[in-house]
Amino acid sequence: MLEFDGLHKSFGGNRVLDGVGFTVAPGSMFGFCGSNGAGKTTAMRIAMGLVRADAGEVRWRGSVLDQGLRRRIGYMPEERGLYPKMKVGEQVAYFARLHGLDGAAASSAADEWVERLGLAARRGDPVEKLSLGNQQRVQLAAALVSRPEVLILDEPFSGLDPIGVDSLAEALLGQARAGVPVIFSSHQLDLVERLCDSVGILARGRMVATGSVEELRRRGAGRLLRVVVPDAAPHWATTVPGVRVVSEQAGDTVLELVDGGDDQAVLAAALRTGRVTHFAWQQPTLVELFREAVAVPTPQEVAA
Amino acid sequence: MSEPRSLSSASMIRLVAAREISARLRDKNFIISSVVILVLLIGTLALQVALDSGGETTRVGVVGEAGDLRPALTAQGEALGVDVTVTRHADEAAARRAVEDGDVDGAVLAAGEAPRLLVEDESGGSLQAVVQGAVAQLALAEQLAAAGITDLDVPEVEVTALDPDADQEGQRVVAAIIGAGLLYGLLILFGQFIAQGVVEEKASRVVELLLATMKPWQLLAGKILGLGVLGLAQIVVVAVVGVAGAIAFDVVDIPGELVGTAVSVVLWFVLAYAFYAAIFAVAASLVSRQEDLGTVLMPTTLVLVAAFVVGIQAAADPDGALARVTSLVPGLSPLVMPVRQAAGEVAAWEVGLAVVLMLVAVALIVRLGGRIYAGALLRTGGKVTMREALKAERG
């Protein structure tokens, strides 16, 4: 387990993290969401030892991360960083060596990753000559080359075209399938929803929601029911007890069931109006869950 | 693929140093600057040789056995401070040809009653003086012998030099000044390299990735050591080429002393490099763009310039108060002390004290500077003040 436990951090008077905690199981992918400036980068930098936490710790397999354990983590910082004048192959091999591979292993691993990420033809070029997308691939190669036990990636998908997104997603899924816990932050919530086993939403320095997307949906306050009744008169649902009409447009009605509301009673009322062409619980997207989680201050902390 | 292993600080530093070296060796600026330094050095030597050529050899031809004329010519040359080589020619025609071809500067014909000096266009002053002196001496000896005086007792002048080492000391001082100039140039050059390297890592943000695997002091140490090895190699090459060249071209009379001065310059380089490299690296860590480097490096560069100027001054007045004090001040001492050592008497305790003070200063700078460096590395954007950097490091 990779555990973030009770992280606190203030910069001057600005409290950035106020007890952030969550766990990521080996082989699972964790999507780290939050508004800009919510503290995702700070939490990741604490894990990498780049920022010192005021309190709390990050553990991998039960031991607090130190310099030695951190070398087993593949890291991609939010601000991409590579030596601009160093050649692609040598650069990747250098990072492999910094992570503890010996000379021969480092260069063969570098060759392998450069090849796998489709950069074989650019191996001898300095990084600054590459397009931004390709530089991003080199960055990923630098994070993956040492066969890390853990991956921590800050906004890995930003700036990639759809094909780049797909190949990065594929690479990350491959790592997760191999048993590596993967944490990545992203604003592309559709991507997080598609890829991640679990999601954490950070707001105001706290985790306001963690769990699988499914769990978040179930936990979501106010479940929405969409009923399409083309023949119904307007306001057909207002009389059903325990129901609040969220929207209604030419029979396409979205209802929220409040205390004691019964979906079967709604169905019966709908059938009484005539044809029912659609009747289903509406799945909130992660975007909706996110808006809700970030907007409403939830006092209880969802800590690990 | 073998499993990754844990890395000691030493191997981390070695990795960083090796990257610095290989990156520099491929850097055109580094190669050009190295070549320029060597060319300058060889140029200086060549100039020295050209200036020294006042003592050029004078070649004189004689015809036949020429009897006592040959030793007389050589002896006269010695007396006048001219190197004389005497060439023998079979007959007058051969001598004439030699003069025409420029094989000899002049030929002495028909020694005896009416000696003639044959030259191409005009006889140089020294050539004529040598021949005139030799002929006169021979004639005098012959006439004295004819008069029956063979054992002439001429009192020899005894020479007492008031400052027998003056010439050698001059050479030592010149060597030390060249050494100080070299030290100054290399310190500025390598200081710039270090500073640019630090800013490059900060500007390209690669430093965040590096610091995820190592501690700031390991990165700093690796950079300083890597470039230091190159700097040391460069100054050693320059010293060896310079000393060997000076000895080979006969620019100096005292190879031993020259070697001593060169060694002391190289040793002072090591200390001065550690001092200035750390300062330059720490100063550079405060900014994020190459354009901003000038402002943060300026104060240190000025100190170096001042040290160089004081060092030159110390050559003229090695025991003056200014030279004595500055040769102990850390940062200034590496450029002043070697000059003082060459130009005058320096007590061993003074050298020892200067070295100890320098070592203490280096230790302090590495300690304090390391903290500033660590605090400033991850703060990008504008210029970070030292106070902010220290605070960030503690936070």
Side-chain angles (χ1 to χ4, degrees):
Chain A
M1 284 289 193
L2 180 66
E3 300 163 272
F4 285 65
D5 190 2
L7 297 182
H8 289 262
K9 178 72 191 178
S10 304
F11 291 110
N14 181 16
R15 185 175 292 180
V16 179
L17 300 181
D18 188 13
V20 167
F22 56 89
T23 58
V24 186
S28 74
M29 219 185 277
F30 183 87
F32 202 12
C33 311
S35 324
N36 291 323
K40 303 181 297 281
T41 295
T42 303
M44 291 183 168
R45 283 180 156 197
I46 287 174
M48 295 315 297
L50 299 167
V51 172
R52 220 172 292 166
D54 297 336
E57 57 191 28
V58 182
R59 289 183 298 269
W60 168 235
R61 291 180 176 152
S63 346
V64 176
L65 288 183
D66 59 12
Q67 199 80 37
L69 280 175
R70 286 195 185 104
R71 266 187 217 123
R72 310 297 314 116
I73 301 179
Y75 175 55
M76 194 192 266
E78 181 186 24
E79 305 270 11
R80 307 286 181 258
L82 295 166
Y83 285 106
K85 295 189 192 322
M86 209 169 167
K87 289 175 183 167
V88 171
E90 285 172 17
Q91 180 129 242
V92 175
Y94 179 60
F95 283 108
R97 296 213 62 187
L98 289 183
H99 282 90
L101 267 59
D102 63 40
S107 46
S108 71
D111 284 352
E112 184 196 328
W113 275 104
V114 165
E115 182 96 44
R116 267 166 89 166
L117 295 175
L119 294 166
R122 312 305 300 271
R123 183 174 298 162
D125 291 346
V127 167
E128 62 187 354
K129 294 251 167 74
L130 269 55
S131 67
L132 280 180
N134 277 341
Q135 290 189 17
Q136 186 108 325
R137 290 184 201 198
V138 179
Q139 196 83 53
L140 181 68
L144 292 177
V145 68
S146 59
R147 286 208 305 179
E149 293 172 8
V150 177
L151 276 177
I152 296 183
L153 313 169
D154 202 350
E155 298 282 351
F157 293 100
S158 78
L160 286 181
D161 64 17
I163 295 165
V165 167
D166 285 346
S167 66
L168 176 57
E170 198 48 51
L172 296 188
L173 283 171
Q175 292 291 307
R177 274 195 291 270
V180 173
V182 180
I183 297 184
F184 71 90
S185 64
S186 182
H187 290 299
Q188 283 150 283
L189 296 175
D190 53 327
L191 210 57
V192 174
E193 191 169 357
R194 199 176 88 208
L195 295 175
C196 291
D197 306 294
S198 56
V199 175
I201 299 173
L202 185 64
R204 294 168 300 278
R206 287 162 175 266
M207 298 303 288
V208 290
T210 44
S212 68
V213 176
E214 210 44 51
E215 280 168 2
L216 294 190
R217 282 192 183 124
R218 277 202 296 276
R219 212 180 289 159
R223 303 167 69 201
L224 296 180
L225 195 59
R226 181 166 170 237
V227 186
V228 181
V229 276
D231 308 329
H235 311 298
W236 65 271
T238 41
T239 52
V240 185
V243 164
R244 190 174 70 81
V245 179
V246 176
S247 68
E248 185 179 345
Q249 205 168 32
D252 186 342
T253 325
V254 178
L255 305 170
E256 185 182 359
L257 267 65
V258 285
D259 311 320
D262 179 3
D263 52 356
Q264 296 309 307
V266 175
L267 179 59
L271 284 169
R272 276 195 297 277
T273 67
R275 286 191 303 135
V276 177
T277 55
H278 182 96
F279 181 90
W281 286 107
Q282 195 170 33
Q283 296 281 4
T285 62
L286 186 56
V287 175
E288 286 160 330
L289 290 172
F290 177 80
R291 282 207 191 99
E292 195 178 298
V294 169
V296 187
T298 36
Q300 94 270 15
E301 182 184 330
V302 193
Chain B
M1 199 167 85
S2 66
E3 271 305 301
R5 64 209 147 79
S6 61
L7 288 171
S8 64
S9 290
S11 45
M12 218 67 205
I13 291 170
R14 223 176 12 248
L15 277 175
V16 176
R19 200 205 77 86
E20 288 297 327
I21 292 175
S22 79
R24 269 312 150 195
L25 287 180
R26 290 182 208 171
D27 179 5
K28 280 196 201 79
N29 292 335
F30 175 78
I31 309 225
I32 291 171
S33 68
S34 309
V35 171
V36 165
I37 288 176
L38 270 183
V39 166
L40 275 180
L41 180 76
I42 293 170
T44 312
L45 274 177
L47 187 69
Q48 198 68 31
V49 170
L51 290 179
D52 275 2
S53 58
E56 199 191 342
T57 330
T58 301
R59 296 155 304 170
V60 187
V62 294
V63 177
E65 283 304 318
D68 292 335
L69 185 58
R70 293 180 66 185
L73 282 169
T74 318
Q76 195 61 31
E78 249 169 54
L80 292 173
V82 182
D83 279 343
V84 176
T85 32
V86 183
T87 328
R88 220 150 43 106
H89 301 288
D91 50 32
E92 198 179 313
R96 194 178 287 274
R97 254 199 318 282
V99 173
E100 275 167 0
D101 295 349
D103 291 340
V104 294
D105 296 319
V108 186
L109 304 178
E113 304 290 306
R116 280 183 300 141
L117 176 58
L118 199 65
V119 293
E120 174 92 53
D121 38 24
E122 54 181 299
S123 72
S126 56
L127 174 62
Q128 196 176 346
V130 167
V131 173
Q132 182 64 58
V135 169
Q137 204 183 357
L138 281 182
L140 188 61
E142 268 169 36
Q143 284 164 33
L144 284 173
I149 308 167
T150 47
D151 248 353
L152 195 61
D153 191 14
V154 181
E156 196 162 322
V157 179
E158 193 191 340
V159 180
T160 310
L162 288 175
D163 189 0
D165 291 340
D167 189 32
Q168 303 187 355
E169 199 176 285
Q171 290 181 356
R172 277 210 309 265
V173 170
V174 169
I177 288 178
I178 291 176
L182 186 66
L183 216 66
Y184 168 79
L186 282 181
L187 288 175
I188 295 264
L189 189 68
F190 279 83
Q192 288 284 348
F193 284 155
I194 290 253
Q196 284 164 6
V198 169
V199 173
E200 185 198 23
E201 280 171 0
K202 239 187 123 172
S204 69
R205 321 275 177 146
V206 72
V207 71
E208 186 166 346
L209 217 48
L210 297 174
L211 291 187
T213 61
M214 68 182 92
K215 296 212 169 8
W217 72 264
Q218 294 169 331
L219 180 59
L220 182 61
K223 291 186 93 62
I224 291 182
L225 281 180
L227 281 174
V229 166
L230 282 183
L232 190 62
Q234 201 160 54
I235 198 168
V236 166
V237 165
V238 166
V240 167
V241 169
V243 170
I247 293 171
F249 290 138
D250 229 6
V251 177
V252 289
D253 306 333
I254 34 155
E257 301 268 0
L258 183 65
V259 171
T261 299
V263 167
S264 101
V265 166
V266 169
L267 292 181
W268 278 109
F269 172 78
V270 173
L271 280 178
Y273 172 78
F275 182 89
Y276 284 104
I279 294 184
F280 273 92
V282 171
S285 73
L286 297 175
V287 297
S288 312
R289 299 184 309 162
Q290 301 283 1
E291 299 91 302
D292 299 333
L293 257 184
T295 16
V296 285
L297 298 188
M298 184 58 82
T300 322
T301 312
L302 285 181
V303 171
L304 257 173
V305 172
F308 183 52
V309 171
V310 175
I312 299 294
Q313 182 273 341
D317 187 12
D319 295 316
L322 179 64
R324 291 185 73 116
V325 171
T326 52
S327 68
L328 295 178
V329 176
L332 302 181
S333 53
L335 292 174
V336 182
M337 190 55 100
V339 178
R340 269 196 73 202
Q341 280 173 282
E345 296 301 307
V346 181
W349 69 264
E350 282 184 289
V351 180
L353 182 61
V355 170
V356 168
L357 286 178
M358 194 69 189
L359 286 173
V360 170
V362 168
L364 281 178
I365 285 169
V366 168
R367 237 182 116 78
L368 185 69
R371 286 176 48 199
I372 295 175
Y373 181 77
L377 274 187
L378 289 173
R379 294 173 68 105
T380 47
K383 195 182 153 193
V384 186
T385 66
M386 289 197 202
R387 194 184 299 273
E388 281 170 352
L390 280 174
K391 229 164 97 188
E393 201 272 334
R394 274 192 228 104

